[in-house]
PDB file of all heavy atoms in Angstrom:
ATOM      1  N   ARG A   1     -11.814   3.252 -41.609  1.00  0.00           N
ATOM      2  CA  ARG A   1     -12.425   2.199 -42.456  1.00  0.00           C
ATOM      3  C   ARG A   1     -11.654   0.961 -42.599  1.00  0.00           C
ATOM      4  O   ARG A   1     -12.165  -0.208 -42.870  1.00  0.00           O
ATOM      5  CB  ARG A   1     -12.621   2.807 -43.922  1.00  0.00           C
ATOM      6  CG  ARG A   1     -13.776   3.903 -44.007  1.00  0.00           C
ATOM      7  CD  ARG A   1     -13.987   4.358 -45.383  1.00  0.00           C
ATOM      8  NE  ARG A   1     -15.042   5.394 -45.468  1.00  0.00           N
ATOM      9  CZ  ARG A   1     -14.812   6.593 -45.764  1.00  0.00           C
ATOM     10  NH1 ARG A   1     -13.598   7.066 -46.043  1.00  0.00           N
ATOM     11  NH2 ARG A   1     -15.731   7.490 -45.811  1.00  0.00           N
ATOM     12  N   ASN A   2     -10.339   1.081 -42.402  1.00  0.00           N
ATOM     13  CA  ASN A   2      -9.468  -0.121 -42.456  1.00  0.00           C
ATOM     14  C   ASN A   2      -9.146  -0.636 -40.959  1.00  0.00           C
ATOM     15  O   ASN A   2      -8.673  -1.815 -40.961  1.00  0.00           O
ATOM     16  CB  ASN A   2      -8.148   0.374 -43.029  1.00  0.00           C
ATOM     17  CG  ASN A   2      -8.267   0.514 -44.578  1.00  0.00           C
ATOM     18  OD1 ASN A   2      -8.362  -0.454 -45.370  1.00  0.00           O
ATOM     19  ND2 ASN A   2      -8.472   1.711 -44.979  1.00  0.00           N
ATOM     20  N   ASN A   3      -9.355   0.130 -39.953  1.00  0.00           N
ATOM     21  CA  ASN A   3      -9.276  -0.412 -38.598  1.00  0.00           C
ATOM     22  C   ASN A   3     -10.149   0.526 -37.684  1.00  0.00           C
ATOM     23  O   ASN A   3      -9.696   1.491 -37.252  1.00  0.00           O
ATOM     24  CB  ASN A   3      -7.871  -0.437 -38.156  1.00  0.00           C
ATOM     25  CG  ASN A   3      -7.715  -1.012 -36.806  1.00  0.00           C
ATOM     26  OD1 ASN A   3      -8.624  -1.337 -36.099  1.00  0.00           O
ATOM     27  ND2 ASN A   3      -6.471  -0.966 -36.274  1.00  0.00           N
ATOM     28  N   SER A   4     -11.315   0.100 -37.438  1.00  0.00           N
ATOM     29  CA  SER A   4     -12.387   0.840 -36.704  1.00  0.00           C
ATOM     30  C   SER A   4     -12.074   0.861 -35.277  1.00  0.00           C
ATOM     31  O   SER A   4     -12.733   1.479 -34.475  1.00  0.00           O
ATOM     32  CB  SER A   4     -13.768   0.448 -37.103  1.00  0.00           C
ATOM     33  OG  SER A   4     -13.930  -1.038 -36.631  1.00  0.00           O
ATOM     34  N   THR A   5     -11.197  -0.035 -34.794  1.00  0.00           N
ATOM     35  CA  THR A   5     -10.925  -0.206 -33.296  1.00  0.00           C
ATOM     36  C   THR A   5      -9.725   0.640 -32.830  1.00  0.00           C
ATOM     37  O   THR A   5      -9.487   0.603 -31.482  1.00  0.00           O
ATOM     38  CB  THR A   5     -10.615  -1.718 -33.042  1.00  0.00           C
ATOM     39  OG1 THR A   5      -9.457  -2.115 -33.608  1.00  0.00           O
ATOM     40  CG2 THR A   5     -11.768  -2.583 -33.543  1.00  0.00           C
ATOM     41  N   ASP A   6      -9.051   1.360 -33.606  1.00  0.00           N
ATOM     42  CA  ASP A   6      -7.849   2.084 -33.152  1.00  0.00           C
ATOM     43  C   ASP A   6      -8.261   3.323 -32.416  1.00  0.00           C
ATOM     44  O   ASP A   6      -8.836   4.300 -32.897  1.00  0.00           O
ATOM     45  CB  ASP A   6      -7.028   2.468 -34.366  1.00  0.00           C
ATOM     46  CG  ASP A   6      -5.675   3.024 -33.898  1.00  0.00           C
ATOM     47  OD1 ASP A   6      -5.602   4.185 -33.347  1.00  0.00           O
ATOM     48  OD2 ASP A   6      -4.564   2.227 -34.006  1.00  0.00           O
ATOM     49  N   ASP A   7      -8.003   3.376 -31.055  1.00  0.00           N
ATOM     50  CA  ASP A   7      -8.434   4.412 -30.241  1.00  0.00           C
ATOM     51  C   ASP A   7      -7.712   5.765 -30.540  1.00  0.00           C
ATOM     52  O   ASP A   7      -8.247   6.894 -30.528  1.00  0.00           O
ATOM     53  CB  ASP A   7      -8.157   4.112 -28.671  1.00  0.00           C
ATOM     54  CG  ASP A   7      -9.101   3.025 -28.235  1.00  0.00           C
ATOM     55  OD1 ASP A   7     -10.268   2.908 -28.797  1.00  0.00           O
ATOM     56  OD2 ASP A   7      -8.831   2.372 -27.195  1.00  0.00           O
ATOM     57  N   GLU A   8      -6.500   5.632 -30.893  1.00  0.00           N
ATOM     58  CA  GLU A   8      -5.711   6.874 -31.323  1.00  0.00           C
ATOM     59  C   GLU A   8      -6.296   7.495 -32.529  1.00  0.00           C
ATOM     60  O   GLU A   8      -6.332   8.699 -32.529  1.00  0.00           O
ATOM     61  CB  GLU A   8      -4.194   6.459 -31.471  1.00  0.00           C
ATOM     62  CG  GLU A   8      -3.327   7.681 -31.701  1.00  0.00           C
ATOM     63  CD  GLU A   8      -1.893   7.305 -31.815  1.00  0.00           C
ATOM     64  OE1 GLU A   8      -1.437   6.099 -31.447  1.00  0.00           O
ATOM     65  OE2 GLU A   8      -1.071   7.996 -32.448  1.00  0.00           O
ATOM     66  N   THR A   9      -6.642   6.745 -33.549  1.00  0.00           N
ATOM     67  CA  THR A   9      -7.233   7.282 -34.723  1.00  0.00           C
ATOM     68  C   THR A   9      -8.531   7.934 -34.513  1.00  0.00           C
ATOM     69  O   THR A   9      -8.907   9.074 -34.870  1.00  0.00           O
ATOM     70  CB  THR A   9      -7.361   6.159 -35.746  1.00  0.00           C
ATOM     71  OG1 THR A   9      -6.122   5.514 -36.088  1.00  0.00           O
ATOM     72  CG2 THR A   9      -7.865   6.765 -37.103  1.00  0.00           C
ATOM     73  N   ARG A  10      -9.289   7.349 -33.630  1.00  0.00           N
ATOM     74  CA  ARG A  10     -10.639   7.759 -33.292  1.00  0.00           C
ATOM     75  C   ARG A  10     -10.496   9.153 -32.509  1.00  0.00           C
ATOM     76  O   ARG A  10     -11.246  10.141 -32.666  1.00  0.00           O
ATOM     77  CB  ARG A  10     -11.469   6.892 -32.329  1.00  0.00           C
ATOM     78  CG  ARG A  10     -12.061   5.708 -33.206  1.00  0.00           C
ATOM     79  CD  ARG A  10     -13.236   5.117 -32.423  1.00  0.00           C
ATOM     80  NE  ARG A  10     -12.920   4.609 -31.078  1.00  0.00           N
ATOM     81  CZ  ARG A  10     -12.626   3.364 -30.931  1.00  0.00           C
ATOM     82  NH1 ARG A  10     -12.649   2.447 -31.815  1.00  0.00           N
ATOM     83  NH2 ARG A  10     -12.405   3.021 -29.660  1.00  0.00           N
ATOM     84  N   TYR A  11      -9.498   9.189 -31.540  1.00  0.00           N
ATOM     85  CA  TYR A  11      -9.250  10.400 -30.815  1.00  0.00           C
ATOM     86  C   TYR A  11      -8.821  11.519 -31.773  1.00  0.00           C
ATOM     87  O   TYR A  11      -9.361  12.638 -31.669  1.00  0.00           O
ATOM     88  CB  TYR A  11      -8.096  10.205 -29.900  1.00  0.00           C
ATOM     89  CG  TYR A  11      -7.692  11.426 -29.104  1.00  0.00           C
ATOM     90  CD1 TYR A  11      -8.319  12.069 -28.047  1.00  0.00           C
ATOM     91  CD2 TYR A  11      -6.514  12.239 -29.528  1.00  0.00           C
ATOM     92  CE1 TYR A  11      -8.007  13.129 -27.409  1.00  0.00           C
ATOM     93  CE2 TYR A  11      -6.180  13.369 -28.963  1.00  0.00           C
ATOM     94  CZ  TYR A  11      -6.871  13.915 -27.851  1.00  0.00           C
ATOM     95  OH  TYR A  11      -6.593  15.013 -27.222  1.00  0.00           O
ATOM     96  N   ASN A  12      -7.865  11.238 -32.696  1.00  0.00           N
ATOM     97  CA  ASN A  12      -7.429  12.306 -33.625  1.00  0.00           C
ATOM     98  C   ASN A  12      -8.505  12.781 -34.557  1.00  0.00           C
ATOM     99  O   ASN A  12      -8.587  13.937 -34.969  1.00  0.00           O
ATOM    100  CB  ASN A  12      -6.334  11.827 -34.515  1.00  0.00           C
ATOM    101  CG  ASN A  12      -4.991  11.669 -33.655  1.00  0.00           C
ATOM    102  OD1 ASN A  12      -4.876  11.970 -32.464  1.00  0.00           O
ATOM    103  ND2 ASN A  12      -3.896  11.354 -34.297  1.00  0.00           N
ATOM    104  N   TYR A  13      -9.430  11.819 -34.927  1.00  0.00           N
ATOM    105  CA  TYR A  13     -10.573  12.101 -35.843  1.00  0.00           C
ATOM    106  C   TYR A  13     -11.567  13.215 -35.126  1.00  0.00           C
ATOM    107  O   TYR A  13     -11.861  14.157 -35.638  1.00  0.00           O
ATOM    108  CB  TYR A  13     -11.272  10.918 -36.062  1.00  0.00           C
ATOM    109  CG  TYR A  13     -12.613  11.017 -36.867  1.00  0.00           C
ATOM    110  CD1 TYR A  13     -12.629  11.597 -38.192  1.00  0.00           C
ATOM    111  CD2 TYR A  13     -13.700  10.621 -36.295  1.00  0.00           C
ATOM    112  CE1 TYR A  13     -13.869  11.782 -38.846  1.00  0.00           C
ATOM    113  CE2 TYR A  13     -14.984  10.772 -36.980  1.00  0.00           C
ATOM    114  CZ  TYR A  13     -15.049  11.375 -38.191  1.00  0.00           C
ATOM    115  OH  TYR A  13     -16.146  11.569 -38.889  1.00  0.00           O
ATOM    116  N   ALA A  14     -11.771  12.851 -33.785  1.00  0.00           N
ATOM    117  CA  ALA A  14     -12.571  13.618 -32.967  1.00  0.00           C
ATOM    118  C   ALA A  14     -12.054  15.115 -32.847  1.00  0.00           C
ATOM    119  O   ALA A  14     -12.625  16.099 -32.903  1.00  0.00           O
ATOM    120  CB  ALA A  14     -12.980  13.083 -31.714  1.00  0.00           C
ATOM    121  N   LEU A  15     -10.631  15.074 -32.613  1.00  0.00           N
ATOM    122  CA  LEU A  15      -9.933  16.409 -32.341  1.00  0.00           C
ATOM    123  C   LEU A  15     -10.009  17.209 -33.690  1.00  0.00           C
ATOM    124  O   LEU A  15     -10.096  18.408 -33.563  1.00  0.00           O
ATOM    125  CB  LEU A  15      -8.496  16.086 -32.029  1.00  0.00           C
ATOM    126  CG  LEU A  15      -7.593  17.225 -31.706  1.00  0.00           C
ATOM    127  CD1 LEU A  15      -8.196  18.077 -30.643  1.00  0.00           C
ATOM    128  CD2 LEU A  15      -6.176  16.751 -31.421  1.00  0.00           C
ATOM    129  N   ALA A  16      -9.812  16.553 -34.700  1.00  0.00           N
ATOM    130  CA  ALA A  16      -9.781  17.204 -36.130  1.00  0.00           C
ATOM    131  C   ALA A  16     -11.051  17.934 -36.233  1.00  0.00           C
ATOM    132  O   ALA A  16     -11.144  19.108 -36.744  1.00  0.00           O
ATOM    133  CB  ALA A  16      -9.352  16.387 -37.178  1.00  0.00           C
ATOM    134  N   LYS A  17     -12.207  17.277 -36.017  1.00  0.00           N
ATOM    135  CA  LYS A  17     -13.531  17.713 -36.131  1.00  0.00           C
ATOM    136  C   LYS A  17     -13.747  18.981 -35.141  1.00  0.00           C
ATOM    137  O   LYS A  17     -14.347  20.062 -35.644  1.00  0.00           O
ATOM    138  CB  LYS A  17     -14.554  16.704 -35.892  1.00  0.00           C
ATOM    139  CG  LYS A  17     -14.625  15.672 -37.024  1.00  0.00           C
ATOM    140  CD  LYS A  17     -16.059  14.930 -37.024  1.00  0.00           C
ATOM    141  CE  LYS A  17     -16.224  14.198 -35.710  1.00  0.00           C
ATOM    142  NZ  LYS A  17     -17.474  13.429 -35.802  1.00  0.00           N
ATOM    143  N   GLU A  18     -13.224  18.852 -34.005  1.00  0.00           N
ATOM    144  CA  GLU A  18     -13.317  19.986 -33.042  1.00  0.00           C
ATOM    145  C   GLU A  18     -12.605  21.139 -33.496  1.00  0.00           C
ATOM    146  O   GLU A  18     -13.149  22.331 -33.454  1.00  0.00           O
ATOM    147  CB  GLU A  18     -12.806  19.503 -31.659  1.00  0.00           C
ATOM    148  CG  GLU A  18     -12.937  20.577 -30.566  1.00  0.00           C
ATOM    149  CD  GLU A  18     -12.463  20.086 -29.214  1.00  0.00           C
ATOM    150  OE1 GLU A  18     -12.204  18.826 -29.081  1.00  0.00           O
ATOM    151  OE2 GLU A  18     -12.033  20.913 -28.493  1.00  0.00           O
ATOM    152  N   LEU A  19     -11.392  20.945 -33.908  1.00  0.00           N
ATOM    153  CA  LEU A  19     -10.540  22.071 -34.450  1.00  0.00           C
ATOM    154  C   LEU A  19     -11.153  22.770 -35.680  1.00  0.00           C
ATOM    155  O   LEU A  19     -10.970  23.935 -35.851  1.00  0.00           O
ATOM    156  CB  LEU A  19      -9.149  21.681 -34.655  1.00  0.00           C
ATOM    157  CG  LEU A  19      -8.412  21.213 -33.499  1.00  0.00           C
ATOM    158  CD1 LEU A  19      -6.880  20.543 -33.878  1.00  0.00           C
ATOM    159  CD2 LEU A  19      -7.960  22.476 -32.497  1.00  0.00           C
ATOM    160  N   LEU A  20     -11.787  21.954 -36.480  1.00  0.00           N
ATOM    161  CA  LEU A  20     -12.405  22.516 -37.713  1.00  0.00           C
ATOM    162  C   LEU A  20     -13.549  23.403 -37.372  1.00  0.00           C
ATOM    163  O   LEU A  20     -13.760  24.474 -37.894  1.00  0.00           O
ATOM    164  CB  LEU A  20     -12.830  21.361 -38.548  1.00  0.00           C
ATOM    165  CG  LEU A  20     -13.563  21.850 -39.925  1.00  0.00           C
ATOM    166  CD1 LEU A  20     -12.721  22.711 -40.907  1.00  0.00           C
ATOM    167  CD2 LEU A  20     -14.103  20.640 -40.779  1.00  0.00           C
ATOM    168  N   GLU A  21     -14.315  22.925 -36.372  1.00  0.00           N
ATOM    169  CA  GLU A  21     -15.476  23.705 -35.924  1.00  0.00           C
ATOM    170  C   GLU A  21     -15.031  25.009 -35.347  1.00  0.00           C
ATOM    171  O   GLU A  21     -15.607  26.050 -35.465  1.00  0.00           O
ATOM    172  CB  GLU A  21     -16.286  22.893 -34.838  1.00  0.00           C
ATOM    173  CG  GLU A  21     -17.593  23.551 -34.576  1.00  0.00           C
ATOM    174  CD  GLU A  21     -18.519  23.689 -35.693  1.00  0.00           C
ATOM    175  OE1 GLU A  21     -18.548  22.905 -36.553  1.00  0.00           O
ATOM    176  OE2 GLU A  21     -19.190  24.697 -35.793  1.00  0.00           O
ATOM    177  N   LYS A  22     -13.911  25.027 -34.562  1.00  0.00           N
ATOM    178  CA  LYS A  22     -13.381  26.201 -33.827  1.00  0.00           C
ATOM    179  C   LYS A  22     -12.863  27.166 -35.012  1.00  0.00           C
ATOM    180  O   LYS A  22     -13.069  28.321 -34.874  1.00  0.00           O
ATOM    181  CB  LYS A  22     -12.200  25.866 -32.927  1.00  0.00           C
ATOM    182  CG  LYS A  22     -12.694  25.257 -31.618  1.00  0.00           C
ATOM    183  CD  LYS A  22     -11.574  25.021 -30.721  1.00  0.00           C
ATOM    184  CE  LYS A  22     -12.062  24.416 -29.355  1.00  0.00           C
ATOM    185  NZ  LYS A  22     -10.917  24.169 -28.520  1.00  0.00           N
ATOM    186  N   GLU A  23     -12.309  26.625 -35.970  1.00  0.00           N
ATOM    187  CA  GLU A  23     -11.675  27.369 -37.035  1.00  0.00           C
ATOM    188  C   GLU A  23     -12.881  28.090 -37.814  1.00  0.00           C
ATOM    189  O   GLU A  23     -12.720  29.312 -38.139  1.00  0.00           O
ATOM    190  CB  GLU A  23     -10.808  26.532 -38.119  1.00  0.00           C
ATOM    191  CG  GLU A  23     -10.194  27.233 -39.177  1.00  0.00           C
ATOM    192  CD  GLU A  23      -9.563  26.374 -40.146  1.00  0.00           C
ATOM    193  OE1 GLU A  23     -10.185  25.552 -40.774  1.00  0.00           O
ATOM    194  OE2 GLU A  23      -8.336  26.447 -40.199  1.00  0.00           O
ATOM    195  N   LYS A  24     -13.941  27.392 -38.116  1.00  0.00           N
ATOM    196  CA  LYS A  24     -15.131  28.041 -38.760  1.00  0.00           C
ATOM    197  C   LYS A  24     -15.655  29.079 -37.902  1.00  0.00           C
ATOM    198  O   LYS A  24     -16.114  30.082 -38.344  1.00  0.00           O
ATOM    199  CB  LYS A  24     -16.173  26.829 -39.027  1.00  0.00           C
ATOM    200  CG  LYS A  24     -15.749  25.973 -40.111  1.00  0.00           C
ATOM    201  CD  LYS A  24     -16.841  24.877 -40.336  1.00  0.00           C
ATOM    202  CE  LYS A  24     -16.549  23.946 -41.529  1.00  0.00           C
ATOM    203  NZ  LYS A  24     -17.621  22.894 -41.693  1.00  0.00           N
ATOM    204  N   GLN A  25     -15.854  28.758 -36.493  1.00  0.00           N
ATOM    205  CA  GLN A  25     -16.456  29.824 -35.723  1.00  0.00           C
ATOM    206  C   GLN A  25     -15.522  31.065 -35.646  1.00  0.00           C
ATOM    207  O   GLN A  25     -16.057  32.238 -35.663  1.00  0.00           O
ATOM    208  CB  GLN A  25     -16.577  29.188 -34.293  1.00  0.00           C
ATOM    209  CG  GLN A  25     -17.274  30.163 -33.263  1.00  0.00           C
ATOM    210  CD  GLN A  25     -18.680  30.408 -33.700  1.00  0.00           C
ATOM    211  OE1 GLN A  25     -19.403  29.582 -34.279  1.00  0.00           O
ATOM    212  NE2 GLN A  25     -19.167  31.615 -33.367  1.00  0.00           N
TER     213      GLN A  25
END
């Protein structure tokens, strides 16, 4: 929300969602 262009943050965000889904499964 404070810097939407940061690729590293976007990557970590996507990775966190993926790991959460795996944890739920």
Side-chain angles (χ1 to χ4, degrees):
R1 288 187 182 109
N2 288 280
N3 181 1
S4 61
T5 63
D6 189 285
D7 290 337
E8 189 181 336
T9 303
R10 284 206 301 265
Y11 173 82
N12 286 4
Y13 173 63
L15 180 61
K17 289 202 296 183
E18 180 182 340
L19 291 173
L20 178 62
E21 190 58 36
K22 286 182 179 179
E23 183 181 68
K24 287 180 178 178
Q25 186 62 33

